[in-house]
Amino acid sequence: MSGIREWIAHRRGMLIALAVLVVAALGFAAIHKLTAEIRLSEVRAAFAALGWPQLSVSIGLTVISYIALTFYDSIALQVIGHPLRWRTAAVASFTSYTISHNLGLAMLTGGSARYRVYSRAGLDEAAVARVVLIAGVTFWAGVITVACLSMAIHPGMLPIVKWTMPPLLERGIGIAIPLAMVGIVLRYRRGGSLGLFGWRLPLPNWRQALALVLVSTVDLAAASAALFVLLPNASPELYPVLFLGYAVAIVVALISHVPGGLGVFEAVIIATMPQDNATILAALLAYRIIYYVAPLILAAVLMAFHEGRQWRDRGSGPLTIALPLAPLLLGVLVFMSGAMLLVSGALPAAPGRMDALATILPLPISEMAHVAASLVGVMLLLVALGLYRRLDGAFWAARTLLVAGTLLSIAKGLDYEEATILLLTAAALQWTRAAFYRRTRLTAEPLSPEWLVGVGAAIGLSVLIGFFAYRHVGYSSDLWWRFETDANASRFLRTSLAVGLLLIGAAIWRLFAAAPVPMVHDVLPDDVAKAALAHADRTDAMLAFTGDKRFLVSDSGDAFLMYQVKGASWIVIGDPVGPSEAWSELLWAIRARADAAQGRLLLYQIGLRIVPIAIEMGLKLVKYGEEATVELEGFTLDTPDMRSVRKASRVAERAGAAFAVVPAAEMPAIIPELQAISDWWLADKNHAEKSFSVGRFEPGYLSKFDCAVVRIEGRIVAFANIWATPNRQELSVDLMRHAEDMPQGGMDFLFTRLMLWGHEHGYRHFSLGMAPLSGIEARRLSPTWSKVAAFLFRHGERFYGFAGLRAYKEKFRPNWTPRYIASPGGTSLLRGLIDLQALVSR
């Protein structure tokens, strides 16, 4: 049984996608059956019969519905204690609902849109999640309330249901459920909160709850009435029937996860209403345009306009806060443009237009344009994702495809309506050109014109030769499926198709592949290192000399940060080095570079001084552990709390241990002896050399530093290379290795003697390094990371000596300073840590 659950968990995404496809197929099959007796001409006639009075009223009701939708967020923000201006809530609500209405998956698509707006207005993920949850619960409470009232007023009015309840029972249910909801409101009339899995959800007070129910009622009544007025000659008595069908339709559409409920929503409404199916289908088409597509286009145009202005006039206000939504909305609009071309390609041309087109273009060109327009539609569907990711290659491809689609729409049937939509979408893209700044290989490494001409000439020549060789073969669809030894024409057709698909696939790969971003410095310039290290207060700045990092240097040339790229992770280790005034500049610069490369940024082992900058950058912080630091001023072993260290050191002294510091200039002479010790130590510990977060045994690296050694009878038995800041703020060690015959207490002896040496030479602190996962507490309301980290610290000794390492360093009575990891939200932290582990373990 557990194996089945594990199999389902690993394939959850695939199973959900398969379920959506199955439900969509059932919906399409249902609508196909329900419309089996309808002719396209009947739908066209019913659509043309819709008068402007009906359309105007439907548009007005749609406006009322979307205005009501904005108050979901406005009231929910008050409930959670983060009230914002109505205009900001209206932007978040309008954009999120236009996207979720058309794409489905409301919690995901609508939630992401809200997060983009509210996070820039100062709300965190938890607050946004509460707003989404309160708005969702309120919406469904409104659906239930209005549906129940319809049942109470007009029982037995759903012909889709074969078995109907007795009218008295149906009325009773229709009255009882709203009364129960009123009782819940009165029960929590003063608000409060509801606990769920350790998470608290604020509850509205009775005034807020009634306001939310009223908003939901107005929204649903207006939305359903916008469809009802499009039905010709529909009597008011039919409205309760329509609303019940409408409520069922949106529930089924939500459960199905089909984008926009397309097909599923229409099938339920057609099955519910007793009118002629052709008129209902025409009304549904008009309704989808008015309530779904038109608001999406409006939102996309508004966001594109304000995003374009942002690059020309740095403004402020709620619309400026929502600017990152423009690529998302334009991506959706481009996707729908592609779908429009595909649907248009499946429909016959408007009567009379083909005759007019025949006087302008030859028929073969119109036929080719018809096929090409559908191919453009498919490519627009693929390109839309790249726009959401702000890829410049997607911008160029989408704009080219939209212009091509405009021309092809005219050439295939004088479809000037869809040509206008495509052209306006291309204009909106052009207006927001600067928003698509992430470079791809398609633009960063463009193919040379000569090479493109050569490829085109070779392919064109092969196709031309093929048509010449088989021009005597009459074309038929059977040629594609003939597999015989002499079916050469069939092989030619299939080969040409494969070549075309391969070219399209290569273009799409280059369109989405991230362009290489210049890394600035693979080796730290000497002048920058000298200027920056003069300001260094932490010895981990010496990681700059390990030879496995890249560097970003400040404009002033006196500060740098260390980082490396692994997969899609841009991992910065430690705080920037240099004057603190340059830190913000460096961190924002690396954030911009990671973003431009479609990567994720991870700040590893940062200190408290970086925390405000990381928060300003929108990164999420988790505590990684604590660093142990010993104050060297007044350091002595002659205190009761240093008894264990003093005892261990004396054991080593009695065994003949002697301490010395070998200057960097004398290191080459002892490197072979240290190499033998290092090789034995690695083999004994069954370790391999690590990198990035620590140094490794490499003669060039070790020769840059002084080295602390322990000798017995003149022979080195332990060593540690010394890290020291030029301003004598901190002293530490990196590699610590010992020989097989090192006496007991040898490492304690090395540490204590080095601390005493540091005190004599004027150093203020000695860093004993990190204790990973140390100092992280798991409380009931702690985040998941803290609970996992605390569990590993207590019970993970078999994997890593977390608690043992902390206990060893605690012997020196250090001060413990927290260190953090900062990364974007979601799974970025986990994926970044996996890439970090790959870097460290080489």
Side-chain angles (χ1 to χ4, degrees):
M1 196 66 180
S2 60
I4 296 175
R5 285 197 297 266
E6 183 178 351
W7 184 87
I8 292 175
H10 287 159
R11 292 162 177 81
R12 183 172 177 268
M14 181 187 68
L15 293 174
I16 291 175
L18 181 61
V20 171
L21 288 175
V22 170
V23 174
L26 292 174
F28 293 148
I31 198 170
H32 176 72
K33 183 176 181 180
L34 291 168
T35 59
E37 303 298 326
I38 303 177
R39 294 182 178 273
L40 182 60
S41 58
E42 296 174 349
V43 178
R44 277 181 169 169
F47 193 85
L50 291 172
W52 276 110
Q54 290 174 276
L55 297 174
S56 300
V57 174
S58 180
I59 292 171
L61 290 167
T62 297
V63 171
I64 293 173
S65 174
Y66 274 94
I67 291 175
L69 286 171
T70 65
F71 288 98
Y72 284 130
D73 286 45
S74 183
I75 299 174
L77 287 166
Q78 296 178 24
V79 173
I80 68 171
H82 292 280
L84 298 174
R85 289 189 300 175
W86 177 81
R87 288 186 297 169
T88 302
V91 170
S93 174
F94 180 62
T95 51
S96 64
Y97 281 116
T98 53
I99 294 172
S100 60
H101 282 167
N102 285 278
L103 294 187
L105 300 172
M107 295 295 286
L108 179 62
T109 56
S112 64
R114 281 188 175 97
Y115 179 73
R116 288 174 179 266
V117 177
Y118 291 140
S119 61
R120 290 177 175 259
L123 271 66
D124 58 16
E125 290 175 335
V128 176
R130 290 185 175 98
V131 171
V132 173
L133 187 57
I134 292 172
V137 170
T138 303
F139 173 82
W140 289 111
V143 172
I144 295 171
T145 300
V146 181
C148 288
L149 291 176
S150 299
M151 291 169 58
I153 297 170
H154 293 278
M157 295 293 289
L158 260 184
I160 193 174
V161 182
K162 293 184 178 179
W163 177 83
T164 57
M165 290 183 288
L168 184 60
L169 177 60
E170 192 170 345
R171 274 201 174 96
I173 294 175
I175 295 173
I177 293 178
L179 287 177
M181 296 177 66
V182 171
I184 294 174
V185 170
L186 294 176
R187 167 67 176 82
Y188 295 97
R189 60 184 179 276
R190 295 183 179 178
S193 62
L194 181 67
L196 185 64
F197 302 113
W199 197 62
R200 308 298 301 181
L201 176 66
L203 296 175
N205 58 41
W206 71 271
R207 290 187 179 89
Q208 293 169 334
L210 290 179
L212 284 168
V213 173
L214 178 61
V215 166
S216 180
T217 303
V218 172
D219 163 40
L220 291 164
S224 57
L227 172 59
F228 183 74
V229 297
L230 295 174
L231 298 173
N233 304 319
S235 61
E237 289 79 9
L238 273 180
Y239 178 72
V241 179
L242 173 84
F243 184 82
L244 286 174
Y246 186 87
V248 173
I250 58 177
V251 170
V252 174
L254 177 72
I255 295 173
S256 70
H257 292 305
V258 176
L262 189 63
V264 179
F265 178 85
E266 284 79 4
V268 175
I269 295 295
I270 292 173
T272 301
M273 296 301 293
Q275 289 192 327
D276 175 62
N277 286 352
T279 60
I280 298 175
L281 186 56
L284 286 167
L285 291 174
Y287 180 74
R288 188 163 285 276
I289 294 172
I290 292 172
Y291 195 85
Y292 288 81
V293 178
L296 176 66
I297 295 174
L298 177 61
V301 170
L302 285 174
M303 291 301 104
F305 175 74
H306 285 279
E307 177 112 356
R309 286 190 59 187
Q310 172 71 2
W311 299 99
R312 298 165 178 81
D313 177 23
R314 297 287 176 176
S316 61
L319 285 172
T320 302
I321 290 175
L323 290 179
L325 286 173
L328 172 61
L329 286 167
L330 285 170
V332 174
L333 198 56
V334 167
F335 184 92
M336 295 188 66
S337 297
M340 178 184 67
L341 284 174
L342 288 175
V343 172
S344 176
L347 295 173
R353 294 190 183 184
M354 289 302 297
D355 295 335
L357 184 63
T359 62
I360 305 173
L361 294 176
L363 182 59
I365 293 180
S366 298
E367 293 295 328
M368 292 173 61
H370 193 97
V371 175
S374 296
L375 292 177
V376 167
V378 172
M379 287 187 281
L380 284 173
L381 299 181
L382 300 174
V383 165
L385 177 61
L387 293 175
Y388 169 68
R389 292 164 57 184
R390 294 178 176 266
L391 305 183
D392 63 347
F395 164 81
W396 289 104
R399 190 181 63 174
T400 302
L401 290 170
L402 287 167
V403 173
T406 300
L407 299 175
L408 292 171
S409 294
I410 298 297
K412 72 183 179 68
L414 294 180
D415 294 326
Y416 58 84
E417 301 93 345
E418 65 185 50
T420 302
I421 294 175
L422 294 172
L423 198 58
L424 289 175
T425 305
L429 267 179
Q430 181 60 37
W431 181 252
T432 58
R433 166 68 188 94
F436 303 95
Y437 56 84
R438 290 177 173 173
R439 304 201 69 190
T440 60
R441 292 188 182 274
L442 188 67
T443 55
E445 300 175 353
L447 303 177
S448 66
E450 296 82 1
W451 191 85
L452 288 173
V453 170
V455 171
I459 294 174
L461 180 62
S462 68
V463 173
L464 181 63
I465 291 173
F467 278 116
F468 174 79
Y470 304 112
R471 62 184 176 183
H472 61 282
V473 178
Y475 175 80
S476 70
S477 58
D478 293 340
L479 286 175
W480 292 95
W481 315 113
R482 287 182 59 189
F483 297 92
E484 301 172 4
T485 55
D486 59 346
N488 297 311
S490 298
R491 280 191 286 273
F492 162 68
L493 287 175
R494 290 192 291 267
T495 301
S496 299
L497 177 62
V499 169
L501 293 175
L502 182 61
L503 285 175
I504 293 173
I508 292 174
W509 176 79
R510 291 183 66 85
L511 169 68
F512 284 90
V517 177
M519 300 304 177
V520 184
H521 295 286
D522 287 327
V523 178
L524 185 64
D526 291 338
D527 58 334
V528 175
K530 182 177 180 181
L533 289 173
H535 297 270
D537 293 330
R538 290 179 56 184
T539 51
D540 58 8
M542 304 306 155
L543 284 169
F545 300 106
T546 57
D548 55 8
K549 296 173 184 64
R550 293 164 176 166
F551 303 92
L552 189 64
V553 178
S554 65
D555 292 339
S556 57
D558 61 351
F560 66 89
L561 59 73
M562 300 171 278
Y563 74 100
Q564 189 53 274
V565 179
K566 182 67 176 178
S569 298
W570 289 55
I571 303 172
V572 176
I573 185 165
D575 297 346
V577 181
S580 58
E581 294 80 11
W583 290 10
S584 180
E585 168 203 333
L586 287 169
L587 290 167
W588 276 107
I590 196 70
R591 179 124 167 78
R593 287 177 174 273
D595 181 70
Q598 307 173 48
R600 52 182 171 267
L601 182 64
L602 182 78
L603 307 183
Y604 178 59
Q605 289 190 17
I606 59 174
L608 287 171
R609 288 191 292 174
I610 297 296
V611 168
I613 304 175
I615 293 174
E616 182 183 353
M617 293 165 62
L619 302 178
K620 306 301 178 186
L621 290 164
V622 296
K623 187 176 180 181
Y624 173 67
E626 294 179 314
E627 181 183 10
T629 308
V630 178
E631 294 287 341
L632 294 182
E633 185 176 358
F635 176 78
T636 178
L637 296 178
D638 299 326
T639 58
D641 55 358
M642 296 292 288
R643 178 184 178 185
S644 62
V645 177
R646 183 172 64 246
K647 181 178 179 180
S649 297
R650 287 175 178 173
V651 170
E653 285 179 342
R654 287 195 292 269
F659 173 82
V661 173
V662 179
E666 301 176 12
M667 284 295 293
I670 65 171
I671 287 292
E673 190 174 2
L674 301 185
Q675 179 78 66
I677 295 173
S678 177
D679 291 345
W680 177 87
W681 184 86
L682 290 172
D684 181 64
K685 303 296 183 183
N686 195 26
H687 287 175
E689 289 281 12
K690 298 187 182 300
S691 64
F692 192 65
S693 63
V694 294
R696 61 184 183 276
F697 194 98
E698 198 277 319
Y701 166 68
L702 289 177
S703 297
K704 293 181 181 293
F705 306 100
D706 297 344
C707 186
V709 298
V710 176
R711 290 189 173 99
I712 293 182
E713 298 178 352
R715 182 172 51 83
I716 298 176
V717 295
F719 73 91
N721 64 308
I722 301 173
W723 283 351
T725 59
N727 60 8
R728 298 183 183 270
Q729 283 290 316
E730 190 171 273
L731 188 70
S732 184
V733 297
D734 180 26
L735 297 181
M736 299 172 289
R737 296 178 183 179
H738 61 80
E740 183 176 9
D741 56 347
M742 183 190 71
Q744 184 178 358
M747 296 309 294
D748 287 356
F749 173 75
L750 187 152
F751 275 126
T752 54
R753 291 300 180 271
L754 184 56
M755 290 179 193
L756 292 170
W757 178 89
H759 172 58
E760 293 172 3
H761 287 77
Y763 289 93
R764 295 187 59 188
H765 311 289
F766 186 90
S767 173
L768 289 165
M770 286 290 302
L773 308 186
S774 171
I776 302 177
E777 297 186 17
R779 300 181 184 273
R780 184 173 62 87
L781 298 179
S782 297
T784 303
W785 163 261
S786 298
K787 294 177 181 177
V788 173
F791 177 83
L792 289 176
F793 184 81
R794 292 194 303 269
H795 306 290
E797 288 298 310
R798 68 177 64 182
F799 307 107
Y800 185 87
F802 297 106
L805 183 62
R806 164 91 186 205
Y808 175 79
K809 295 180 179 183
E810 186 64 43
K811 294 192 306 181
F812 296 90
R813 298 297 180 263
N815 299 319
W816 294 97
T817 305
R819 295 286 176 240
Y820 300 92
I821 296 175
S823 73
T827 60
S828 295
L829 173 61
L830 177 60
R831 296 163 70 184
L833 288 176
I834 291 173
D835 288 336
L836 171 65
Q837 178 59 31
L839 271 181
V840 172
S841 62
R842 302 181 66 194

